[in-house]
């Protein structure tokens, strides 16, 4: 025998309750900071995607509006071949307002049913972390 001792494995070390509570506090604090950072990044990515989509939809709406104006003019001109111009313009205007009312009602219903944006991955991570902490606490 040489007189040297083998290093003891880390799990055999005895820690005081205060040290264990301190380590747990540090780990929970780190875990919370990481989950908050994940939630921020997830919401930022969703926000960027929504911003791009909104911009494209706005551009599409502007072109559709210009097309609708041209269509209304075409419809009025076509109806003026069989009706007075004022009557054909009134009919086209009424049809456009009916379409606008239907679209507004549908859009309002969709907004009422829209779920608020949530960082789903971060929430799932927090739930998993809480379950793991509960499970380890009962051991």
């Amino acid at each position: 025998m040489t007189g040297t001792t083998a290093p003891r494995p880390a799990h055999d070390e005895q820690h005081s309750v205060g040290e264990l509570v301190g380590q747990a506090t540090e780990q929970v604090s780190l875990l919370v900071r990481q989950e908050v950072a994940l939630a921020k990044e997830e919401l930022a990515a969703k926000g960027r995607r929504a911003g791009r989509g909104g911009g494209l939809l706005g551009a599409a709406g502007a072109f559709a509006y210009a097309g609708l104006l041209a269509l209304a003019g075409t419809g009025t001109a076509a109806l003026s071949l069989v009706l007075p111009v004022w009557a054909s313009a009134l009919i086209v205007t009424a049809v456009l307002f009916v379409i606008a009312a239907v679209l507004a009602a549908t859009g309002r219903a969709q907004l009422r049913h829209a779920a608020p944006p949530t960082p789903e991955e971060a929430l799932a991570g927090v739930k998993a972390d809480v379950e793991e902490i509960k499970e380890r606490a009962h051991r």
Side-chain angles (χ1 to χ4, degrees):
M1 292 201 137
T2 61
T4 60
T5 59
R8 292 175 29 175
H11 66 275
D12 285 345
E13 294 179 11
Q14 297 293 322
H15 295 286
S16 70
V17 172
E19 290 174 331
L20 293 175
V21 168
Q23 287 176 355
T25 302
E26 289 175 22
Q27 290 173 354
V28 167
S29 176
L30 176 63
L31 182 62
V32 168
R33 283 194 302 271
Q34 289 172 340
E35 293 294 350
V36 167
L38 175 63
K40 283 181 183 179
E41 180 59 34
E42 190 177 345
L43 287 174
K46 285 183 178 185
R48 284 189 298 271
R49 201 172 302 123
R52 270 180 272 172
L56 290 172
L57 283 175
F63 277 94
Y65 180 69
L68 182 63
L69 291 177
L71 181 63
T74 303
T76 303
L79 280 176
S80 69
L81 296 175
V82 293
L83 296 172
V85 174
W86 68 267
S88 61
L90 184 62
I91 291 170
V92 170
T93 302
V95 169
L96 291 176
F97 277 126
V98 167
I99 292 171
V102 169
L103 290 174
T106 304
R108 187 174 181 200
Q110 291 294 320
L111 286 175
R112 284 185 178 163
H113 291 91
T118 56
E120 295 165 4
E121 290 178 25
L123 290 176
V126 169
K127 288 178 183 176
D129 295 339
V130 168
E131 288 300 319
E132 182 70 22
I133 291 169
K134 284 181 183 177
E135 188 177 302
R136 289 185 184 227
H138 290 349
R139 289 183 186 173

